[in-house]
Amino acid sequence: MNPTRIRELIVTPIAFRDPPLLNSNGVHEPLALRIILQLVLEDGTVGLGESPGGTARLERLQAAAKVVPGMDVFDTTAVAAAIDADLLPTVPSSHERGWTTSAVEVACLDAQGKLLGRPVSDLLGGAVRDAVPFAAYLFYKWAEHPALDGRVAIGDDWGEALDPAGIVQQARLMQQRYGFRSFKLKGGVFPPDEEIAAIKALAKAFPGHPLRLDPNTAWTVETSKYVARELDGVLEYLEDPAKGIEGMAAVAADSPLPLATNMCVIAWEHLKPAIEQNAIQVLLTDHHYWGGLRRTRELAAVCEAFGIALSMHSNSHLGISLAAMTHVAAAIPNLDHSCDTHYPWNSADDVVRPGILELRDGEVKVPTGPGLGVELDLDALDRLHRLYLDSGVRTRDDTGYMRRFDPTYELKLPRW
Ligand code: GKR
Ligand code: MG
């Protein structure tokens, strides 16, 4: 028996509750999808990973599960290369392949840390901070998922937020519950002047607190320039106002505000043109698609070299991802802004045991236990896997879900 050899990769798709959060694509469905990885070594050590869900990503992780048995858990470069080579013929996008290699790398690092008795942040060069700051992720939202197909409406304890007063109220709740000190508003939902008013209302209610706005490319270049002018001195940065590196570069040429992205620079080959065109001033890293935690650390060094500030992107996620985000953020010296997280919207359905990961004073303390420092709750995993099986939900479809309530709704980017 070789204790560092990978015996098996167990891939479990799950579904968990998600509130009706609005964005430029529509509205979140009642269930969000993730995939949980358990990488089992020959000595029984288990490393955990978490990936966004959906059939394509599930199939790729299932393919990876056939590739990794027999490999050494410390050979993360070889593990990633083997998975990448296996996917290459059918998945031409390096960004798409990155989602698979990243999730497996995190599980390898968790297992390595458990074998060594050291936290993952130590494997990334050591934590330079013992807590990582996160921003409150504000969304326009409905009070409830409306009744559909004979089922009752599903409410939550956040309430409705469809105007500036609703957004300020949501921000207050976020601050009361988690102590957040910075705020990000997901925009691209209402006409830009309404979202400008919401940001100005936040600035008035929370003077001195960093604010951001992210319309996910809902605006033209001209509209983006207008919003940037209106919010000069109010936002710390404006995130993905317009589409593509060229669109962002055209806005940046004329914007008094720094521009940030998690949409137009999402693979290594995007860095060169983005830097040449000065398209972005802030990069939102995301270990889920940049190749994992070590590659994210390398990405931070590239950003440092080119004077690009760093923040972190998030999607609906659970505790394994939050732990991984926290470890890598702790190990990046040049983390310039608080990280995004959807965790408050989804934490009630977590698959990790409570107690380790807590959002308090707007921060998560870096876990100090071996590996990621979190423990999988097998009962919760089983429950959420059955929810996945029974629900029939297999891909995220914010636009299709919106159309069930408003058949005239069209996905239009830019919309304004
Ligand atoms: O969850 O609606 C959402 C977000 O819009 C998410 O899908 C984005 O990936 O949060 C993300 C972002 O910053 O663009
Ligand atoms: Mg974004």
Side-chain angles (χ1 to χ4, degrees):
M1 194 262 298
N2 176 348
T4 66
R5 197 155 46 208
I6 298 169
R7 186 169 73 205
E8 189 188 3
L9 178 65
I10 304 171
V11 180
T12 311
I14 59 167
F16 54 92
R17 287 169 293 166
D18 205 16
L21 308 178
L22 297 157
N23 59 28
S24 67
N25 282 240
V27 57
H28 286 208
E29 295 169 83
L31 291 176
L33 304 176
R34 295 294 273 189
I35 301 162
I36 303 302
L37 299 186
Q38 296 170 79
L39 185 90
V40 188
L41 305 186
E42 284 190 357
D43 76 343
T45 301
V46 180
L48 302 175
E50 178 181 333
S51 152
T55 302
R57 296 207 173 114
L58 178 62
E59 285 171 0
R60 289 171 203 157
L61 283 164
Q62 286 165 337
K66 296 200 176 97
V67 171
V68 298
M71 298 192 77
D72 193 287
V73 74
F74 283 90
D75 266 347
T76 49
T77 308
V79 167
I83 296 170
D84 196 68
D86 182 65
L87 293 177
L88 187 61
T90 48
V91 186
S93 151
S94 67
H95 167 77
E96 277 304 324
R97 295 196 303 280
W99 291 95
T100 311
T101 52
S102 302
V104 177
E105 189 242 19
V106 172
C108 287
L109 289 175
D110 185 33
Q112 289 179 20
K114 284 172 173 159
L115 286 175
L116 297 168
R118 304 295 293 251
V120 163
S121 56
D122 279 3
L123 306 177
L124 302 173
V128 295
R129 52 185 71 82
D130 53 18
V132 169
F134 286 87
Y137 204 148
L138 310 176
F139 278 82
Y140 289 106
K141 74 179 282 293
W142 296 337
E144 56 190 23
H145 284 286
L148 204 58
D149 306 330
R151 280 178 301 214
V152 292
I154 312 164
D156 54 63
D157 62 358
W158 292 100
E160 179 180 272
L162 295 172
D163 56 18
I167 289 296
V168 168
Q169 170 60 14
Q170 189 185 94
R172 285 197 198 292
L173 274 180
M174 282 278 183
Q175 197 183 46
Q176 277 161 21
R177 292 175 184 179
Y178 302 102
F180 288 115
R181 282 167 271 172
S182 51
F183 301 89
K184 160 170 169 170
L185 175 62
K186 175 59 54 179
V189 176
F190 293 114
D193 281 325
E194 291 184 39
E195 298 186 352
I196 290 169
I199 291 291
K200 288 187 173 167
L202 285 170
K204 199 162 162 217
F206 300 93
H209 291 255
L211 303 175
R212 319 155 185 178
L213 174 61
D214 175 12
N216 285 121
T217 73
W219 304 333
T220 63
V221 167
E222 283 317 307
T223 303
S224 304
K225 288 182 186 173
Y226 164 72
V227 177
R229 279 194 303 272
E230 286 294 309
L231 293 178
D232 183 20
V234 184
L235 291 180
E236 59 173 337
Y237 58 72
L238 182 58
E239 187 176 323
D240 286 311
K243 196 174 166 208
I245 290 172
E246 283 70 26
M248 290 284 277
V251 180
D254 224 5
S255 166
L257 286 173
L259 301 189
T261 189
N262 63 272
M263 296 181 77
C264 71
V265 181
I266 54 171
W268 296 90
E269 59 267 29
H270 300 154
L271 283 164
K272 187 169 185 271
I275 290 166
E276 279 171 355
Q277 295 175 51
N278 192 27
I280 60 160
Q281 290 70 49
V282 183
L283 181 67
L284 282 86
T285 64
D286 187 329
H287 75 266
H288 297 91
Y289 56 74
W290 278 99
L293 304 182
R294 290 219 174 102
R295 294 293 267 162
T296 301
R297 184 81 178 64
E298 290 163 6
L299 178 64
V302 174
C303 289
E304 187 181 9
F306 289 98
I308 296 172
L310 275 185
S311 185
M312 191 180 282
H313 168 250
S314 154
N315 249 314
S316 304
H317 67 90
L318 298 176
I320 298 170
S321 280
L322 183 62
M325 291 157 76
T326 303
H327 280 282
V328 71
I332 292 176
N334 53 319
L335 182 76
D336 303 283
H337 301 275
S338 57
C339 303
D340 288 355
T341 179
H342 282 59
Y343 196 60
W345 300 111
N346 305 116
S347 57
D349 275 349
D350 209 349
V351 284
V352 302
R353 293 194 188 284
I356 302 290
L357 294 171
E358 260 189 280
L359 263 167
R360 195 176 285 177
D361 298 330
E363 296 182 333
V364 174
K365 287 232 170 338
V366 185
T368 50
L372 292 172
V374 293
E375 204 188 324
L376 188 61
D377 178 340
L378 288 169
D379 291 335
L381 182 69
D382 184 54
R383 182 173 57 78
L384 297 180
H385 178 55
R386 275 188 281 112
L387 188 56
Y388 168 85
L389 294 175
D390 297 345
S391 68
V393 180
R394 294 295 177 263
T395 45
R396 175 176 172 174
D397 184 10
D398 295 11
T399 308
Y401 185 53
M402 179 62 104
R403 282 208 190 109
R404 300 187 70 179
F405 309 107
D406 175 5
T408 65
Y409 183 84
E410 269 180 63
L411 176 60
K412 199 163 171 259
L413 296 172
R415 193 180 295 279
W416 291 282

